[in-house]
């Protein structure tokens, strides 16, 4: 039996937490438990704390491998894990795929697909509320959005948030202030920012979806239970976690196996905040 390490944001179990992490973790636990393994979760507040956790785990022999996600350019973590002799499974984008086991998605292709789907509904003024642009997947989504706008002849409308509801509300204020003709639809990179923007739209008296549609990149129970239910991409994060769990289990088998899985493109879930 092996133990695998999963580093998560400090507020993973709070009401403000991004639900994606919880679903991925549940999927990992589902998959590794069947092979007799366990998952050790540690919540951290910074990248420095995360790297300290890896050093601690390696020194104590606590975990056999870890999950690595949210890479940034010139990320120091893969080299540190190699130095420590800790295996890892990457959950990331297809452009990051390499020799290590991985579960990836094509963020740029997903962005192009959802933009085409929104435009087919007659929603042409599409704004993108992205996550921190220092993260590789956030930058890839933003780059694909800008390329799509250029090809489609649309004016880019962008804002950057930090995955919290408050940043979603502030971003909506900025987008409405910056443009004489506000967006038809706001595509937010996670559920918390989308829900924050939705609440701010209500406070401003903006009809959703009559005047403004709102779509979340991540689906969650909060999206599903909201009134109206929030439109989202059906990315199946629990299934993604299960794929990560299978890759972790394979990594400690004898002989070890290196698995690479590309997740399918998510579908646009048509709910109450989406017009057309």
């Amino acid at each position: 039996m092996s133990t695998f390490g999963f580093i998560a944001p400090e507020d993973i179990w709070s009401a403000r937490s991004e639900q994606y992490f919880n679903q991925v973790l549940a999927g990992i636990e589902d998959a590794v438990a069947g092979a007799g393994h366990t998952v050790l979760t540690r919540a951290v507040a910074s990248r420095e704390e995360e790297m300290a956790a890896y050093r601690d785990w390696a020194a104590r022999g606590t975990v056999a491998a870890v999950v690595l996600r949210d890479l940034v350019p010139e990320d120091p973590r893969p080299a540190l894990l190699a130095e420590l002799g800790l295996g890892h499974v990457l959950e990331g984008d297809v452009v990051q795929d390499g020799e290590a086991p991985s579960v990836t998605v094509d963020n740029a292709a997903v962005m192009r697909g959802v933009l085409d789907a929104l435009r087919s509904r007659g929603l042409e003024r599409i704004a993108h509320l992205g996550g921190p642009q220092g993260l590789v997947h956030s930058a890839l989504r933003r780059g694909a959005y800008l390329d799509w706008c250029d090809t489609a002849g649309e004016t880019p409308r962008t804002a950057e948030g930090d995955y919290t509801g408050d940043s979603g509300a502030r971003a909506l204020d900025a987008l409405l202030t910056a443009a004489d003709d506000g967006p038809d639809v706001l595509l937010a990179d996670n559920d918390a920012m989308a829900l924050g923007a939705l609440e701010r739209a209500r406070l401003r008296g903006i009809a959703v979806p009559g005047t403004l549609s709102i779509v979340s990149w991540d689906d969650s129970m909060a999206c599903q239970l909201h009134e109206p239910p929030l439109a989202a991409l059906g990315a199946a994060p629990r299934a993604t976690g299960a794929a990560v769990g299978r890759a972790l289990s394979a990594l400690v088998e004898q002989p070890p196996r290196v698995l690479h899985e590309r997740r399918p493109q998510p579908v646009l879930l048509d709910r109450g905040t989406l017009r057309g």
Side-chain angles (χ1 to χ4, degrees):
M1 184 184 77
S2 296
T3 299
F4 303 117
F6 184 86
I7 296 292
E10 195 171 46
D11 63 351
I12 184 173
W13 294 286
S14 78
R16 295 178 55 206
S17 174
E18 184 187 37
Q19 294 300 308
Y20 185 88
F21 281 98
N22 296 288
Q23 291 296 309
V24 169
L25 177 58
I28 294 172
E29 291 173 335
D30 290 343
V32 304
H37 307 306
T38 60
V39 180
L40 176 62
T41 304
R42 182 176 293 189
V44 302
S46 67
R47 184 60 46 83
E48 290 72 26
E49 284 189 18
E50 177 179 353
M51 296 175 72
Y54 294 146
R55 294 186 182 96
D56 178 58
W57 282 343
R60 297 172 181 269
T62 307
V63 301
V66 301
V67 181
L68 184 62
R69 64 187 315 275
D70 287 342
L71 291 185
V72 299
E74 301 181 1
D75 199 305
R77 291 175 295 166
L80 173 64
L81 292 173
E83 176 187 333
L84 296 173
L86 279 180
H88 72 271
V89 173
L90 170 68
E91 185 208 339
D93 188 89
V94 293
V95 303
Q96 301 164 328
D97 213 351
E99 295 182 0
S102 64
V103 177
T104 57
V105 66
D106 190 338
N107 280 279
V110 175
M111 175 61 81
R112 292 190 295 269
V114 70
L115 293 173
D116 287 341
L118 293 173
R119 197 180 193 194
S120 72
R121 293 169 172 264
L123 301 167
E124 297 185 348
R125 299 193 303 275
I126 305 172
H128 177 227
L129 169 52
Q133 291 302 292
L135 297 176
V136 172
H137 68 270
S138 295
L140 289 167
R141 294 176 190 178
R142 176 56 52 78
Y145 169 81
L146 294 175
D147 288 345
W148 183 91
C149 287
D150 184 59
T151 300
E154 297 292 340
T155 301
R157 297 170 170 83
T158 64
E160 181 176 338
D162 60 7
Y163 294 137
T164 65
D166 287 345
S167 71
R170 293 192 299 269
L172 181 62
D173 288 337
L175 287 165
L176 293 173
T177 301
D180 294 332
D181 52 346
D184 289 332
V185 55
L186 174 64
L187 172 62
D189 263 14
N190 82 328
D191 56 340
M193 293 194 298
L195 290 164
L198 177 57
E199 293 307 312
R200 181 55 55 89
R202 283 180 164 174
L203 289 174
R204 295 181 66 126
I206 299 170
V208 177
T211 301
L212 174 68
S213 292
I214 298 178
V215 178
S216 170
W217 193 283
D218 293 333
D219 193 18
S220 68
M221 287 298 295
C223 293
Q224 298 162 29
L225 297 178
H226 198 276
E227 183 54 46
L230 196 69
L233 300 186
R238 191 160 186 151
T240 295
V244 172
R246 291 191 294 271
L248 286 166
S249 296
L251 193 58
V252 297
E253 291 177 358
Q254 294 298 328
R257 292 183 298 133
V258 175
L259 300 185
H260 298 272
E261 181 171 329
R262 181 175 297 189
R263 298 294 301 149
Q265 300 291 93
V267 297
L268 180 60
L269 302 176
D270 191 348
R271 297 194 185 123
T273 59
L274 180 58
R275 174 168 56 88

